Amino acid sequence: MWMTPKRSKMEVDEALVFRPEWTQRYLVVEPPEGDGALCLVCRRLIVATRERDVRRHYEAEHEYYERYVADGERAALVERLRQGDLPVASFTPEERAARAGLGLCRLLALKGRGWGEGDFVYQCMEVLLREVLPEHVSVLQGVDLSPEITRQRILSIDRNLRNQLFNRARNFKAYSLALDDQAFVAYENYLLVFIRGVGPELEVQEDLLTIINLTHHFSVGALMSAILEALQTAGLSLQRMVGLTTTHTLRMIGENSGLVSYMREKAVSPNCWNVIHYSGFLHLELLSSYDVDVNQIINTISEWIVLIKTRGVRRPEFQTLLTESESEHGERVNGRCLNNWLRRGKTLKLIFSLRKEMEAFLVSVGATTVHFSDKQWLCDFGFLVDIMEHLRELSEELRVSKVFAAAAFDHICTFEVKLNLFQRHIEEKNLTDFPALREVVDELKQQNKEDQKIFDPDRYQMVICRLQKEFERHFKDLRFIKKDLELFSNPFNFKPEYAPISVRVELTKLQANTNLWNEYRIKDLGQFYAGLSAESYPIIKGVACKVASLFDSNQICEKAFSYLTRNQHTLSQPLTDEHLQALFRVATTEMEPGWDDLVRERNESNP
């Protein structure tokens, strides 16, 4: 249990309301709706109402206005901004060119474009200016988008973002790691290491910590050393690590040789917390599909899709399918990207709806259609479509971030209840929850009216049972801290007699506080615990920090994986691991680069 205090008291957190003094300090005002803060300079709404969010936006975007330091100057600046009179930042032409170049390089990285495409962008802007604003063509003279300069600038942006992360990481009260070993570029596999940390103000930060080339770090010991080195560089110790979320591959969760067992063993010490591990969040659909694909359905469909991409691209019935495919991994046929795309409930459902058209197409090109006369294969296809659709719905729920692990665990428990229901329905041959399988069965009954046994319920009960055991294994650690999760998510309804002795006094005092109860009703959990006094409730606040540090969604991992599959061709070009890390960081981070720092760094290196 986490309700035993092992840390010194935290400082009192700031209030989560707009403060009038922020107007002059950070050039923001309270919006008419009353939520967040509205920037007077860029007119952007800063959603969170914590000072650190407002301060970070100001420092990253509008540091130029720090030169207005005197009270009179500052007040006059605010008044001008309120009237829409924006003072022009007095950057030199060289600084403007550098900022433009950096911004364009970042945009190229976000869109997964190659280094050489910077020159093309430059030529487009030059043509546009010559035709529309010929007097301003000279502004492009200082903008260099050559391949080498683009590479250097992406690395500079990566260093800036990494330094921002490390500066925040040193103040983390608790953190967790997500280890994703499903990333691949060309013929090399990578381990993406993400970190989720909680600061003293209960602010949550999720970002890429590092990437590790699995070709060069094949052994678990080498992986362990690389992760520890990344943590040490970030100023983090294992004593503050709370959780690990991983894929459920043998490399990660092997009983005696998995990376998780090594890291847990390394983290065992009197000053460390028990590390919570769960392995079902990442790539839930992708990895679960191997457990439920009982007849190698996806491998067969993959061959059909390759045929359609090469010989059926002009057929109108397949345009929706091809458009969906290209939006995921481009026009080129990449076997691994294609296989991963097919292991999604949404994709399988679309292909199932086109099965008649696919059969006609296969006949027209002379390919085998034996599967369409195999009733077992057709039933397996329908069942796979239905069970993957249920997994897709769960995956979508787990993709919602900022709900905390307690809510995510509720989704897992609800799905396990559904699996029990599915088990009973299959046994009773009630196909209410399996519309695709029911459709196949009805069609087969029409074709084979004398055949009483269209499908075997035991076959699918075994699949569901296997899925249940996997879920029980993947999330058993979350069940171990179930009381902590319940206390965190519903502190006012948690019965003190069920809580550990160490927390009962605090919990009773909390539940008797009417003001806190009112705050709990009108605020979300993050805001409520951020405003909770660490001096009055140190143990409950400690539990909140640990629970908040657990990964509550697979959003950042899915963002990285989507970027990888969508830009596989570009990323497969000769790139160093350092450049790949820079691209993944730019694509997944929510932090803004410090443009002024980057320009200053460039000026210092090129005096």
Side-chain angles (χ1 to χ4, degrees):
M1 294 293 288
W2 285 338
M3 299 182 193
T4 303
K6 292 185 180 180
R7 288 289 182 272
S8 59
K9 295 180 180 179
M10 300 177 226
E11 296 177 1
V12 180
D13 295 79
E14 64 186 3
L16 295 173
V17 294
F18 184 88
R19 296 181 180 176
E21 59 266 25
W22 292 353
T23 299
Q24 285 204 21
R25 189 182 304 165
Y26 304 121
L27 306 181
V28 294
V29 292
E30 188 171 9
E33 296 80 7
D35 295 325
L38 180 66
C39 179
L40 288 171
V41 181
C42 62
R43 299 295 169 180
R44 187 184 303 173
L45 181 66
I46 305 165
V47 178
T49 318
R50 295 189 182 94
E51 184 173 6
R52 53 101 183 174
D53 295 302
V54 179
R55 182 177 64 250
R56 286 174 186 172
H57 171 81
Y58 175 75
E59 292 175 350
E61 299 286 340
H62 312 303
E63 193 178 14
Y64 163 78
Y65 295 100
E66 277 296 290
R67 63 190 63 192
Y68 295 87
V69 292
D71 290 342
E73 289 181 335
R74 202 72 177 173
L77 172 64
V78 169
E79 189 59 32
R80 290 176 62 187
L81 290 172
R82 285 182 185 274
Q83 296 173 4
D85 182 10
L86 182 65
V88 179
S90 58
F91 296 122
T92 65
E94 291 79 10
E95 289 175 334
R96 290 182 179 279
R99 292 173 72 92
L102 286 163
L104 287 170
C105 289
R106 182 195 181 209
L107 186 60
L108 287 170
L110 281 171
K111 298 300 179 182
R113 316 309 296 182
W115 308 129
E117 295 194 31
D119 284 335
F120 176 68
V121 172
Y122 182 93
Q123 293 168 14
C124 291
M125 292 191 299
E126 188 175 29
V127 169
L128 178 67
L129 287 176
R130 285 190 188 282
E131 296 298 328
V132 181
L133 297 168
E135 66 277 12
H136 294 292
V137 174
S138 59
V139 300
L140 294 177
Q141 292 177 359
V143 180
D144 189 349
L145 295 177
S146 62
E148 183 58 33
I149 293 298
T150 301
R151 277 195 291 266
Q152 293 176 8
R153 284 174 171 168
I154 293 298
L155 290 177
S156 297
I157 292 173
D158 174 60
R159 284 194 298 270
N160 181 273
L161 292 171
R162 191 171 67 241
N163 289 336
Q164 289 187 53
L165 173 64
F166 290 174
N167 288 336
R168 298 176 190 181
R170 292 185 177 91
N171 295 320
F172 285 167
K173 295 294 182 181
Y175 72 90
S176 295
L177 297 180
L179 309 179
D180 181 0
D181 64 347
Q182 293 298 299
F184 59 94
V185 176
Y187 299 103
E188 293 190 320
N189 288 349
Y190 287 85
L191 176 69
L192 305 184
V193 182
F194 299 97
I195 187 168
R196 176 184 171 101
V198 176
E201 301 167 0
L202 213 81
E203 68 274 22
V204 175
Q205 173 85 27
E206 277 188 21
D207 230 296
L208 177 70
L209 180 63
T210 187
I211 71 168
I212 302 171
N213 191 320
L214 293 175
T215 307
H216 303 153
H217 300 79
F218 185 76
S219 69
V220 173
L223 279 178
M224 182 74 183
S225 298
I227 293 173
L228 291 178
E229 182 182 350
L231 289 172
Q232 185 178 6
T233 305
L236 291 165
S237 68
L238 288 177
Q239 293 181 354
R240 285 183 277 168
M241 186 168 70
V242 170
L244 275 173
T245 181
T246 67
T247 57
H248 46 275
T249 59
L250 285 176
R251 183 191 288 115
M252 293 290 110
I253 63 172
E255 187 172 347
N256 297 318
S257 58
L259 181 59
V260 172
S261 60
Y262 273 72
M263 291 199 70
R264 282 181 141 174
E265 183 179 345
K266 191 75 175 177
V268 172
S269 78
N271 296 322
C272 291
W273 297 315
N274 293 325
V275 176
I276 301 301
H277 170 248
Y278 46 103
S279 55
F281 266 33
L282 309 185
H283 307 294
L284 177 67
E285 288 179 271
L286 172 64
L287 296 178
S288 296
S289 66
Y290 291 97
D291 296 322
V292 299
D293 187 3
V294 292
N295 209 343
Q296 302 299 306
I297 307 289
I298 292 174
N299 290 341
T300 302
I301 295 175
S302 180
E303 297 172 3
W304 298 348
I305 299 299
V306 172
L307 274 176
I308 291 172
K309 278 178 168 284
T310 53
R311 302 177 66 178
V313 291
R314 295 186 179 179
R315 293 179 177 252
E317 62 267 30
F318 297 135
Q319 292 310 303
T320 302
L321 182 66
L322 293 172
T323 302
E324 179 78 18
S325 172
E326 290 173 8
S327 69
E328 289 292 329
H329 50 258
E331 297 180 4
R332 292 177 174 84
V333 179
N334 180 299
R336 191 165 175 181
C337 287
L338 181 63
N339 189 276
N340 291 341
W341 174 64
L342 290 172
R343 294 182 182 277
R344 294 185 179 182
K346 181 181 177 182
T347 307
L348 286 171
K349 191 174 181 180
L350 176 59
I351 292 171
F352 181 80
S353 68
L354 294 170
R355 65 190 184 281
K356 299 294 184 184
E357 291 81 355
M358 283 192 173
E359 183 179 10
F361 166 73
L362 292 173
V363 169
S364 69
V365 298
T368 180
T369 59
V370 64
H371 298 94
F372 291 96
S373 58
D374 183 346
K375 68 176 185 179
Q376 182 67 73
W377 191 92
L378 288 171
C379 288
D380 289 346
F381 187 16
F383 175 78
L384 177 64
V385 169
D386 290 327
I387 202 71
M388 289 303 297
E389 176 65 13
H390 291 304
L391 285 167
R392 182 197 65 80
E393 292 173 358
L394 175 60
S395 184
E396 288 291 334
E397 290 173 336
L398 296 180
R399 203 166 293 167
V400 179
S401 63
K402 299 178 182 178
V403 295
F404 300 111
F409 185 54
D410 287 342
H411 293 315
I412 297 295
C413 293
T414 302
F415 186 75
E416 289 178 326
V417 173
K418 284 184 179 180
L419 288 177
N420 290 328
L421 184 64
F422 296 161
Q423 188 82 270
R424 292 198 301 272
H425 283 181
I426 286 289
E427 184 179 6
E428 298 166 357
K429 295 188 178 182
N430 177 359
L431 302 182
T432 305
D433 302 305
F434 300 91
L437 177 57
R438 183 178 61 212
E439 186 177 337
V440 170
V441 170
D442 290 343
E443 289 177 359
L444 291 174
K445 283 181 178 179
Q446 291 294 325
Q447 298 170 10
N448 307 280
K449 294 184 179 180
E450 297 180 358
D451 192 351
Q452 298 297 319
K453 189 175 181 181
I454 301 297
F455 76 99
D456 182 10
D458 294 339
R459 181 181 180 87
Y460 303 128
Q461 280 185 286
M462 289 175 58
V463 175
I464 295 173
C465 183
R466 188 187 312 145
L467 203 57
Q468 286 175 314
K469 290 180 179 178
E470 288 297 306
F471 268 73
E472 185 177 344
R473 183 165 64 98
H474 296 330
F475 298 103
K476 66 179 180 180
D477 276 13
L478 287 180
R479 291 181 178 84
F480 178 71
I481 59 166
K482 188 175 180 180
K483 282 190 176 181
D484 299 274
L485 297 176
E486 290 175 354
L487 173 66
F488 173 81
S489 61
N490 205 349
F492 286 91
N493 288 334
F494 192 94
K495 294 183 178 180
E497 58 267 26
Y498 294 149
I501 296 176
S502 59
V503 78
R504 288 179 185 175
V505 174
E506 284 188 18
L507 188 59
T508 304
K509 183 170 66 172
L510 176 76
Q511 293 176 351
N513 192 316
T514 306
N515 293 331
L516 290 178
W517 163 245
N518 291 331
E519 289 183 17
Y520 174 77
R521 286 190 304 161
I522 62 176
K523 294 180 178 178
D524 61 41
L525 277 176
Q527 292 176 331
F528 171 73
Y529 281 110
L532 191 65
S533 169
E535 293 183 346
S536 302
Y537 307 97
I539 300 176
I540 294 179
K541 188 87 170 188
V543 172
C545 275
K546 294 168 193 173
V547 173
S549 72
L550 294 173
F551 276 86
D552 59 0
S553 78
N554 55 18
Q555 187 182 63
I556 191 169
C557 296
E558 289 295 331
K559 187 187 294 185
F561 197 70
S562 175
Y563 179 80
L564 183 151
T565 54
R566 193 171 57 249
N567 304 301
Q568 184 66 209
H569 178 69
T570 301
L571 298 176
S572 298
Q573 305 302 315
L575 291 173
T576 64
D577 290 348
E578 186 181 17
H579 280 108
L580 278 175
Q581 177 173 282
L583 291 173
F584 276 118
R585 191 184 306 281
V586 170
T588 57
T589 188
E590 293 185 354
M591 294 187 294
E592 278 289 319
W595 302 114
D596 291 339
D597 292 338
L598 287 166
V599 172
R600 195 179 304 116
E601 176 186 323
R602 174 187 173 277
N603 292 338
E604 291 173 356
S605 60
N606 298 291

